[in-house]
Amino acid sequence: MGIALIWCLALILIRWMTSKRRGAISYDSSDQTALYIRMLGDVRVRSRAGFETERRGSHPYIDFRIFHSNSEIEVSVSARNVRRLLSFQRYLRSSRFFRGINVPNSSNILDDDYNGQAKCMLEKVGNWNFDIFLFDRLTNGNSLVSLTFHLFNLHGLIEHFQLDTMKLRRFLVMVQEDYHSQNPYHNAVHAADVTQAMHCYLKEPKLSKSLTPWDVLLSLIAAATHDLDHPGVNQPFLIKTNHYLATLYKNTSVLENHHWRSAVGLLRESGLFAHMSLENRQLMESQIGDLILATDISQQNEYLSMFRSHLDRGDLCLENANHRHFILQMALKCADICNPCRTWELSKQWSEKVTEEFFHQGDIEKKYHLGVSPLCDRQTETIANIQIGFMTYLVEPLFGEWARFSNTRLSQTMLGHLGLNKASWKGVQREQSGSGDDVDPAFEEMDSDILPQEPRLS
């Protein structure tokens, strides 16, 4: 009787909170880009395939029933009322709790030995050879929460912005849980790795003496949330499957817009900056969006061209807030694709994980006769070919220009690892094909503006 009463009270509480919480991100109705998102309500866009895909929380749900039938698929809204309280990932955890199933504590009380080792690693969080995989194991899968909380404290952000540490931890736990652990690559460990790389860049002499606490705050939040709620497939996949996110964002920076809006939703839900003025909160949300949107790889040419032009003219002035913000965009772009610039032991793991995710998408596309996306066919592609093309056409040009901007020991270390890793993959390629000259044609189709040039160090 007592258990039943507790269960009923819990359901009543959830429904009451649901009625109170309809987290929405609304923008001026004159803006033509999507402009009202219910983070926890129903967002439905009719698919040309003949059914409505339902948004379940902030999880970009992909329903493969679309490929089996063109008939209308009825969805019982009443059966999902409780799900609107939390995003899909957090719903799973809360539902286990209310069913009496043991849920691991997100704050993870580790034994003294593991705690000690994790703390020792955090003392060297600014080292470029930081092993995020080991750190994730030592923190029992909580690398993003542990590392980002530590960096907030290390940079003095908690004190400077008078942050409530409980709200900060709650925000970071929600962020970590809204990454999809089943994704081989785009998961919370990748987010933690990017955040650690961003911290390394923030420490660079040119930046460290110019950045304000506001700049550092935006950079760390953007790094931690830059792939939030990533579905494990790319934008072309969402477009050709008529996913509601593609429609919502008009096929433009679909994933990046979703990551940004999801991050804003969690910021508002956590109340982390509720003590700030509305004007400052809106400015923060907008500038975090600028940083996250810069990670869209399809915009690489545009950002790289602007960066080169500034460096050629020598007109970057970090006393200028706009110039600092642009450099932070470039820094986040570097952090996002810095895997080939890590040591071979770390870089190889990331290469295998991202290729596994590509191939998983390709398997789905084959199964449903969608046409396999470039780099996603495990029958014709190899990790070595993909990585060599990636390094040649994307990583080398970007990091060559970054080294022009910040010619430091870290920049030279990254370029050194990049060269060694590329040579290692060419060795693998020769073993597989007997030739070291093959470059994946998917990369050769890219605009010539992004082709590698000789790094000009200054």
Side-chain angles (χ1 to χ4, degrees), residues 2 8 12 21 47 52 70 106 126 142 172-173 180 182 228 247 269 278 283 323 328 341 346 404 406:
C8 291
I12 292 171
R21 180 182 182 277
S47 163
E52 292 180 346
N70 288 331
S106 296
N142 281 271
L172 294 176
V173 168
H180 304 174
Q182 70 271 24
L228 189 61
T247 305
E269 178 183 347
L278 177 61
L283 178 62
H323 285 192
L328 292 178
C341 300
L346 298 175
R404 288 181 63 200
S406 177

Side-chain angles (χ1 to χ4, degrees), residues 107-390:
S107 59
N108 292 323
I109 303 177
L110 302 175
D111 59 57
D112 291 339
D113 183 47
Y114 274 64
N115 260 326
Q117 292 183 61
K119 288 178 181 177
C120 285
M121 288 195 69
L122 285 176
E123 291 175 0
K124 300 179 180 179
V125 71
N127 290 2
W128 187 246
N129 61 352
F130 188 87
D131 188 340
I132 196 65
F133 298 111
L134 174 59
F135 185 71
D136 192 62
R137 292 193 294 272
L138 292 175
T139 56
N140 198 25
N142 281 271
S143 54
L144 183 57
V145 173
S146 301
L147 183 138
T148 310
F149 190 94
H150 174 77
L151 292 179
F152 265 66
N153 192 47
L154 185 64
H155 286 278
L157 302 178
I158 296 175
E159 181 179 358
H160 184 87
F161 292 101
Q162 299 180 328
L163 301 180
D164 183 321
T165 54
M166 293 300 293
K167 288 183 178 180
L168 174 59
R169 185 166 289 279
R170 179 172 181 254
F171 168 68
L172 294 176
V173 168
M174 289 192 297
V175 168
Q176 181 172 274
E177 289 178 350
D178 277 5
Y179 278 95
H180 304 174
S181 59
Q182 70 271 24
N183 290 347
Y185 182 83
H186 289 104
N187 52 42
V189 183
H190 166 65
D193 186 61
V194 171
T195 304
Q196 189 271 336
M198 194 67 173
H199 167 64
C200 292
Y201 301 151
L202 297 178
K203 288 175 51 190
E204 291 287 76
K206 270 192 177 181
L207 289 177
S208 62
K209 67 183 181 182
S210 303
L211 296 180
T212 66
W214 179 265
D215 297 325
V216 175
L217 178 71
L218 296 180
S219 300
L220 294 181
I221 293 176
T225 62
H226 80 284
D227 273 331
L228 189 61
D229 211 27
H230 196 294
V233 293
N234 61 19
Q235 175 173 294
F237 183 93
L238 297 179
I239 292 173
K240 65 186 174 184
T241 56
N242 304 308
H243 196 270
Y244 71 87
L245 288 178
T247 305
L248 186 62
Y249 297 116
K250 299 182 179 179
N251 299 343
T252 303
S253 298
V254 175
L255 287 169
E256 291 73 24
N257 270 297
H258 178 63
H259 305 324
W260 166 35
R261 273 27 184 276
S262 298
V264 171
L266 294 188
L267 281 171
R268 294 185 180 184
E269 178 183 347
S270 69
L272 181 58
F273 299 107
H275 59 289
M276 288 186 177
S277 68
L278 177 61
E279 181 181 3
N280 282 340
R281 294 200 306 270
Q282 289 177 336
L283 178 62
M284 174 185 293
E285 292 170 2
S286 174
Q287 292 186 337
I288 288 173
D290 291 338
L291 293 175
I292 293 177
L293 290 174
T295 63
D296 184 352
I297 204 70
S298 70
Q299 303 298 316
Q300 178 92 336
N301 287 352
E302 177 184 345
Y303 282 95
L304 192 56
S305 177
M306 290 172 57
F307 197 28
R308 280 185 182 140
S309 296
H310 277 301
L311 295 174
D312 289 341
R313 295 193 302 265
D315 62 357
L316 280 172
C317 175
L318 296 185
E319 299 301 315
N320 182 312
N322 292 331
H323 285 192
R324 286 200 309 274
H325 194 64
F326 175 69
I327 290 301
L328 292 178
Q329 288 178 311
M330 299 307 300
L332 185 55
K333 289 178 67 63
C334 288
D336 190 28
I337 62 170
C338 72
N339 301 150
C341 300
R342 300 281 193 179
T343 63
W344 171 251
E345 292 75 16
L346 298 175
S347 179
K348 184 172 181 288
Q349 291 183 70
W350 285 120
S351 299
E352 292 166 349
K353 289 177 182 296
V354 72
T355 306
E356 180 184 350
E357 193 167 294
F358 287 165
F359 288 169
H360 177 66
Q361 175 179 322
D363 293 341
I364 294 172
E365 290 170 328
K366 282 184 179 180
K367 181 177 180 180
Y368 296 108
H369 310 290
L370 293 172
V372 180
S373 298
L375 311 179
C376 295
D377 192 339
R378 68 173 71 247
Q379 303 302 321
T380 61
E381 301 285 357
T382 66
I383 300 179
N385 286 348
I386 292 173
Q387 286 303 304
I388 292 170
F390 179 57

